[in-house]
Amino acid sequence: MQDSVIPAAGAPFSTFLYVLIPLLPFLGFLLNGLLNRKLSATVAGAISSLAVLGSFLISVMLFWEFLHPSAQWIAPGATAHQAYTVQLFDWISVGSMQIPFSYQIDQLSLIMLLLVTGVGFLIHIYSIGYMAHDENVGKFFSFLNLFVFSMLVLVLGSNFLILFIGWEGVGLCSYLLIGFWNTNTSYNNAAKKAFIINRVGDLGFLLGIFLIYLTFNSVQFGEVFQKASLGQFGPYGVGVVTFITLLLFVGATGKSAQLPLYTWLPDAMAGPTPVSALIHAATMVTAGIYMILRANVLFTLAPHTLEVIAIIGAATALFAATIGLAQNDIKKVLAYSTVSQLGYMFLALGVMGYSTSLFHVLTHAFFKALMFLGAGSVIHAMSNEQDMRRMGGLRKALPITFITFLVGCLAIAGIPPFAGFFSKDEILLHAFEHSKVLYAVGLFTAFLTAFYMFRLLFLTFFGEFRGTEEQKHHLHESPASMTLPLIVLAILAAVGGFMNAPFFLGEENAYLSNYLAPIFTYSQKLNPAAFGAEVDHGTELMLIGLSVGAGVLGIIFAYVMYVSRGVRPAEEGAPRGFLDNLVYHKYYIDELYNALLVRPIMWLSRGLYRFVENGIIDPIVNGFGRVTLGGGQLLRAVQTGSVETYLILMVVSIVLIMALNFGKF
Amino acid sequence: MDQNIPQVIQTVPLEYYVFFAATLFSIGVLGVLTRRNAIIIFMCVELMLNAVNVLLTAFSAFRADPNGQVFVFFIMAVAAAEVAVGLAIIVMIYRNLQSTDVNLLNRLKF
Amino acid sequence: MLTVLLLLWPVVAALLLHFFKGKAARVAAFGAALVEFLLAAYAALLFNANNSGQFSFNYAWVASAGINFHLGMDGLSLSLVLLTTLLVPIILLSAFRRNFENESVFYALVLFMQTGLIGVFTAQDAFLFYFMWEVALIPIYFLAGVWGGTERARVTFKFFLYTIIGSLFMLAGFVYLYFQTGPSPDGLSAHNSALTSFYNINLPVETQLWVFWLIFAAFAVKMPIFPFHTWQPDTYTESPAPASMLLAGIMLKMGIYGCMRWLLPVVPLGVDYWQNLVLILAVIGIIYGAIIAIRQHDVKRLIAYSSLSHVGLMIAGVFSLTQLGMQGASIQMLAHGINVVGLFFIADAIERRTGTRNIADLGGLTRKAPALTVCFLVLLLGTVALPLTNGFVGEFLLLAGVYEHNAWLGAVAGITIILSAVYLLRMFQRVMLGPDSAYSATFTDLTSGEIAVLVPLIVLVFWIGIFPNFFLHLSEGSVLGILGEVVKR
């Protein structure tokens, strides 16, 4: 992986092209931000959509050039599939710490570029319809563009610190967009919570970067990974990589909502639905996976960390899926499903199914964005009702939404030939090679996933309408700007799986893993066994059968319960069994964190202020003043005012001094 | 009389001067401590100063060092200035209190 | 000569200010400060990053005692002079909105203060440094004591006593060190107080252990470092906004600058011995200040505690004795100065409109004031160290430096990036967002005059954040020089 560097001498235009990718959305952000409220919803939406479209087109062009280099002015001297870095300017340079602002163009960043700008563009189009009636639509689009900008910096950065810029930037945009409707205090709290929990992860990430710098004396991807693969750990031994990767993984758990830092993501559903689709399903939350893929060499060197990642991933997948079973808010179900699917991706990373993990990132982006947008369409039609207990029978009123949503559900449930089937199946296959327990957890989660997703589908689109008369009156299919992205995403969710076909469709058709292979060259060299292991085709077919079976079983269960028997979720105050109650209240994790962390810190804040600051430190300082004053009070009694006393004292003192000094005689 | 002043001074032994000055000084101290009239206290202070002057002059003569005598002039000049200011204050006090008793001046306290 | 001009021009302007009354005084003061800034900018243009001690001016002040009126600038001094000369006009401009009694005196004091600050940053002689250190204290005492809030008399008196006791310790330390120096170059005195002579004193370890505390006392109070900080919240709260800005924006940098210039290279063995204690105090201060800030109700008091927390990190960076930490501190001084002045200005703007600084009473102001919200948010993000803002470069380097010295301390100090988000976002939410409060209906957005104050600050937030190298190169030579002096022995 010899990275060439551009700009080569005399190719300024190509650099400009690379700058333009994140710059276009940034310009959209500035334009919409400065002209907020002066532009109509359509114009504002058009500006930001065009900005993202521009980035998308440039990305496509770069991608094409990457595969078939022809135009010398884009990447001079590059051969096909050759990674290179683009130097923009020196950002921070202190002594031996040299951090350039530069881009990494390779298989991984290009595919993420396409994902971010492609799905991002669809969601921008969707937002034009969805946010049309909001008074702050300009602000919305400017934030959305700022998000795309940050995300692009994140995936383009060629060192850990540039990645960190994007990492924090998307966190900020997430904060701004979750709290978009800022009159609502609980929305604002959700936004703040998201930012702060992400910051907890960011601290881990930052400490990881410090350790990387101290170990490799660089934070540049190429240099770090090369040194790591050659076993050059500076002053440390190979054990340091375990610490580095654990710290990086802490960062990933924050951003990608894994145990124990996942609690912000369900709350983040306070934001407008396109935001949930773009940020909290398709792109930002997968940043953690992107980062681990980026640093796959380090993770390969740290098998213990991988073990931790696999366990946390599987645990999160199962844990979030069980919570998803009992949620009644349509977006909350999707949120927990996202957490659960992210758990799958981490499980894949943990068992070294690196390209599989990215495969699931892509398919998940398609079907989860689709389902969020579909949910948005439902919410839009239901006049902002999100509770599934108030829905039902919507398939007649919203046919396009229903069909596309169904595609999404089939995809996530792992029904062939939809996209989720291929990626989830690969994950389970890798898990099976690694550990039967992890596989069993994954399989059971697949069953739960199918169940709760179809529970959502049936409760929303089947049965009788349970909302108010007024809502029923307003029911309507969404405008074309909203249904069009749904259709495109549904097509992607339906056929997206074929980009990495399993063996029985021909080995050479596993396009994605073949394409990504160069990213994992070092890892493969370090641990060939993990990449070489193959189960025989018979077992693989059996596993496929099992996972499809689990999915189908889940769907049947859901059908029997919610369509045949017509079960309805209990209302808010209804009595619940112990387990039901536990799951309904999300295992009381939020309450637990409140009691263990938030309240003690609040209490500490007040306690320190009252008892330490104003009770100990300040009184001590003031005490010096008091002692001085008190001393003065005491001593002033000596001043009697009588001249005789003064004189006597004076003479006596003089005599005493003389006596003491000359007393030796 | 072609004897110069230091020689004249040296005709008396040094110890005499010392005892004389000590006595003079003690009288001054006792006067300051025991009398209440401001003017007398003032005079006693002058007495003490002059005791020192005598001592300085004597030592100066015996050791042939003119510095001591220069110092005496300083003290006399300062004492003169002091008398001028001090007497003025005493006059003011007398005008206000119709008395020069220092024990009446006890208001300069806490 | 340029340094002398920089030093004296504000005094001259302050004296001339007596001929102006009312509004004219404002304009004249602002003009004078602007001229001063241009002088500093000219110095920056002439500055050559490869040479140390430029723009030197040396005049025998008390020749018989070897005390010289010796001024000079290296990169570190220059960057702080730039900060001072840049912030003073902005602070003056921010005061335009208020009508003070005796305006010309008020503005004259601010200019007078500027002289003291520049003197501190450029002095190359120990007694001149001490002199300037006290010169800077007097105007701020009057600014806070005359134009401050209801509690001002008690609070400013405490502040004054606290800092002056600290500086008397420093004076004692300097006097002691003075008697350890060699004869002055002209041979007129047995000792001299030049900075370079202080660097060349070789004290035994046991002596350095206590001399360290004599000198550090002044800096510890001024910065302030936990637990010598209790004057700070009261003073920031009671002072009028321009004085709070001067205090937090520039004056506390005197302490950090002092540590770098007058402590580390002078008693390196003492520093080596007490390094970990100071680091621990600094880290305690970081966490302590941040946690207390969470529950504060008064916006200014909250900023004061946040300042304590941020300064703790700068001290930790300086005392990590790493290039990363010290350069981080030098750039963070600029960043913090800019951010805290901006935040105080915003707090003042809100107080002027609503008459309150109590977070609990405010809320929902954003809908009436988009420009204010944006400015507030940018400065706040700079303070919480979001990448591409000025705070990030500093905090990243500082934390990296502390981490390089000791990973655990670095990790604990790093908690500040979480806690600063907690208290600042909490404040932002309660003041700007949420349901309407009693004030949100009548609230007005920033005027163009106020925007003129904030725009340069915001430009700097991004400039330092995106292109920090200009400032980093400025301080690199000085920091390496200081580290060289420390390592030498």
Side-chain angles (χ1 to χ4, degrees), chain A residues 188-264:
Chain A
N188 290 331
N189 285 338
K192 195 171 63 178
K193 182 176 173 184
F195 194 83
I196 289 166
I197 293 185
N198 266 303
R199 275 256 156 159
V200 176
D202 293 351
L203 175 60
F205 192 3
L206 205 55
L207 295 176
I209 295 177
F210 294 153
L211 198 52
I212 288 173
Y213 170 69
L214 292 182
T215 309
F216 301 106
N217 201 26
S218 168
V219 292
Q220 199 72 15
F221 289 144
E223 203 176 334
V224 170
F225 300 149
Q226 193 172 24
K227 281 187 177 169
S229 70
L230 296 174
Q232 296 165 351
F233 301 111
Y236 310 103
V238 69
V240 74
V241 181
T242 309
F243 290 104
I244 292 176
T245 48
L246 279 175
L247 286 169
L248 293 181
F249 179 58
V250 171
T253 54
K255 189 74 38 187
S256 296
Q258 294 298 292
L259 282 173
L261 299 180
Y262 72 96
T263 53
W264 64 271

Side-chain angles (χ1 to χ4, degrees), chain A residues 120-151:
Chain A
F121 172 63
L122 290 175
I123 292 172
H124 273 74
I125 295 287
Y126 177 91
S127 305
I128 297 177
Y130 191 83
M131 298 299 289
H133 307 301
D134 198 286
E135 54 173 338
N136 288 318
V137 61
K139 188 173 91 174
F140 177 81
F141 277 109
S142 73
F143 288 169
L144 216 53
N145 267 355
L146 184 64
F147 169 78
V148 174
F149 162 76
S150 310
M151 194 70 205

Side-chain angles (χ1 to χ4, degrees), chain A residues 27-74:
Chain A
L27 291 177
F29 154 71
L30 285 183
L31 206 59
N32 269 329
L34 292 177
L35 300 177
N36 183 23
R37 293 182 192 179
K38 293 199 185 79
L39 299 175
S40 73
T42 328
V43 177
I47 289 172
S48 54
S49 305
L50 282 176
V52 180
L53 181 67
S55 299
F56 177 65
L57 293 178
I58 298 174
S59 307
V60 170
M61 193 160 86
L62 287 183
F63 185 61
W64 185 254
E65 281 298 316
F66 187 76
L67 298 179
H68 315 283
S70 57
Q72 280 301 306
W73 55 270
I74 293 182

Side-chain angles (χ1 to χ4, degrees), chain A residues 631-641 646, chain B residues 109-110:
Chain A
Q633 287 283 9
L634 279 177
L635 284 176
R636 76 180 197 180
V638 176
Q639 305 289 325
T640 56
Y646 294 160
Chain B
K109 63 175 178 183
F110 49 90

Side-chain angles (χ1 to χ4, degrees), chain A residues 326-338:
Chain A
Q327 296 303 306
N328 295 320
D329 182 320
I330 187 167
K331 286 180 73 180
K332 283 273 161 73
V333 178
L334 291 174
Y336 280 105
S337 138
T338 305

